[in-house]
Amino acid sequence: MTVSCRDVWKVYGPRPERIVGSPQADLPRSELLARTGCVAAVRGVSFDVAPGEVFVVMGLSGSGKSTLVRMLNRLHEPTAGTILIDGEDIGALDADRLRELRRRRVSMVFQHFGLLPHRRIVDNVAFGLEIQGVDRTERLRRAHEVLEVVGLEGWADAFPEELSGGMQQRVGLARALATDPEIMLFDEPFSALDPLIRRDMQDEVLRLQRELRKTMIFITHDLMEALKLGDRIAVMKDGRFVQVGTPEEVVIRPADAYVADFTRDVPRSHVLRARSVMQPPNGAHAFAGDVSPETLLVDLLPILARSEAPLRVVEDGRAIGVVDRAAVLAAMVEDAG
């Protein structure tokens, strides 16, 4: 696993270690604070993230999700537990090794862009490489490359104040990509953007993931954003993970009433995929088209509405199933019921 966390805690207050694993840790936050002067922001969280996976942690404000992601590069020091990156215990790193981790292996994209206003866009993007000691010619070459990747190749010589909020966030994304990190951490990066720009940035992350296959850990309070971006989703409440699963699992089989309440208004067509409703190849010769097994039902509906023929589900150049109108409608009827 690229990232592995075991029984990670973050407690703020006097002698925080006494709260770890104690019965007091389960008290309501206000009562724990009144009795001990401590706040348990993250309580006994364990999870693994595989190479190339997009792992989304979602929850309401105060659930502990931002504290958790900031412990993954020790911007916040864990009170207890173990965090491994490629098998290396980051809690054991000295100051030099920790700086190396942050400079070369793990990049972070924040909600607030943090651009340097007096520097050109290309120099903002190259800043991490400058910190690494990369010579100017090489870092500018790399900065121009990643600006092209995020669609800002014509803005290299502009200054941050000349760019819209969405464009500035693209600069933040380019800056994180410039150092070619193994892991990218996103701490609610799009929550300050208007809905249309936010959707564009989500699409941008998905496009980059298809092309670059980075390992991404993404924090959000928006369920639809989590469902759109995540290979897996962790739902967090009061410092703990309530459920971890694929978008389909979280929506179709919520672990408890809290998750069910979160997901009750999500149409199944927005989370169920062709893989979930396909049937084995049946010898049909006429198809309305080929689709990936990961295609959402909502994207299949317009095609099936125009044709009586089924769709062929293709993976790695091989037909693995078929999806017809009846199967999709059956899933929709179940949703309506």
Side-chain angles (χ1 to χ4, degrees):
M1 294 295 173
T2 295
V3 179
S4 183
C5 293
R6 289 293 172 268
D7 199 25
V8 174
W9 289 73
K10 181 60 180 177
V11 181
Y12 296 97
R15 294 192 296 123
E17 64 283 351
R18 67 197 159 112
I19 306 300
V20 173
S22 72
Q24 291 176 311
D26 293 322
L27 293 172
R29 180 168 292 185
S30 57
E31 188 174 347
L32 177 65
L33 181 61
R35 286 192 187 188
T36 68
C38 290
V39 173
V42 175
R43 300 184 292 167
V45 167
S46 298
F47 64 97
D48 297 308
V49 182
E53 182 179 16
V54 181
F55 186 82
V56 177
V57 182
M58 68 150 299
L60 299 177
S61 233
S63 62
K65 56 191 187 298
S66 286
T67 301
L68 175 62
V69 77
R70 289 164 185 248
M71 286 192 286
L72 300 182
N73 60 359
R74 281 179 55 193
L75 288 179
H76 291 179
E77 292 285 351
T79 304
T82 303
I83 300 172
L84 303 177
I85 293 181
D86 291 333
E88 184 174 27
D89 183 353
I90 70 163
L93 299 182
D94 62 23
D96 289 340
R97 290 283 292 151
L98 182 58
R99 276 194 295 271
E100 188 75 4
L101 175 88
R102 293 171 179 167
R103 288 176 179 176
R104 299 184 186 277
R105 297 171 61 193
V106 180
S107 285
M108 196 159 192
V109 182
F110 297 94
Q111 174 181 342
H112 302 292
F113 320 129
L115 303 184
L116 303 169
H118 60 287
R119 288 193 171 208
R120 297 177 305 156
I121 295 306
V122 68
D123 295 315
N124 268 279
V125 172
F127 184 67
L129 296 169
E130 182 179 345
I131 295 297
Q132 289 182 2
V134 176
D135 71 79
R136 179 172 174 78
T137 300
E138 174 59 21
R139 68 178 184 254
L140 290 181
R141 183 194 67 77
R142 176 64 180 155
H144 280 285
E145 278 185 0
V146 293
L147 280 172
E148 186 171 351
V149 168
V150 302
L152 289 177
E153 60 270 27
W155 294 87
D157 293 324
F159 287 87
E161 65 178 11
E162 300 174 60
L163 274 60
S164 68
M167 294 168 75
Q168 289 186 37
Q169 190 57 285
R170 285 175 186 265
V171 177
L173 189 55
R175 182 175 56 193
L177 287 168
T179 57
D180 194 24
E182 301 167 26
I183 300 164
M184 299 186 70
L185 309 177
F186 295 81
D187 189 8
E188 299 205 59
F190 309 146
S191 58
L193 303 177
D194 71 51
L196 288 178
I197 296 175
R198 183 172 188 154
R199 186 177 64 194
D200 288 345
M201 289 303 301
Q202 292 165 359
D203 291 340
E204 185 71 10
V205 167
L206 289 173
R207 182 184 68 80
L208 289 171
Q209 182 60 2
R210 286 193 301 270
E211 294 179 4
L212 304 176
R213 300 304 299 171
K214 297 292 184 183
T215 301
M216 298 182 177
I217 300 175
F218 196 101
I219 304 300
T220 183
H221 63 264
D222 184 296
L223 176 62
M224 296 309 295
E225 183 166 79
L227 295 173
K228 181 175 182 177
L229 296 179
D231 295 314
R232 286 188 301 144
I233 299 169
V235 181
M236 199 168 188
K237 177 187 179 187
D238 296 334
R240 297 191 190 278
F241 281 0
V242 179
Q243 183 172 3
V244 179
T246 66
E248 291 166 281
E249 290 167 344
V250 169
V251 172
I252 306 303
R253 295 186 294 278
D256 62 10
Y258 179 78
V259 181
D261 190 49
F262 245 122
T263 61
R264 65 183 176 186
D265 295 326
V266 178
R268 286 179 174 228
S269 62
H270 286 67
V271 292
L272 283 177
R273 300 176 186 273
R275 188 188 297 278
S276 304
V277 300
M278 71 182 184
Q279 300 160 340
N282 57 14
H285 298 292
F287 296 98
D290 292 346
V291 295
S292 159
E294 302 307 317
T295 306
L296 293 169
L297 296 197
V298 69
D299 297 320
L300 300 180
L301 287 170
I303 307 171
L304 291 170
R306 294 192 299 266
S307 173
E308 296 286 342
L311 289 162
R312 183 167 51 187
V313 183
V314 177
E315 186 173 48
D316 297 328
R318 182 175 63 89
I320 61 171
V322 295
V323 174
D324 58 23
R325 188 182 297 177
V328 173
L329 289 177
M332 304 297 286
V333 169
E334 187 177 349
D335 190 21

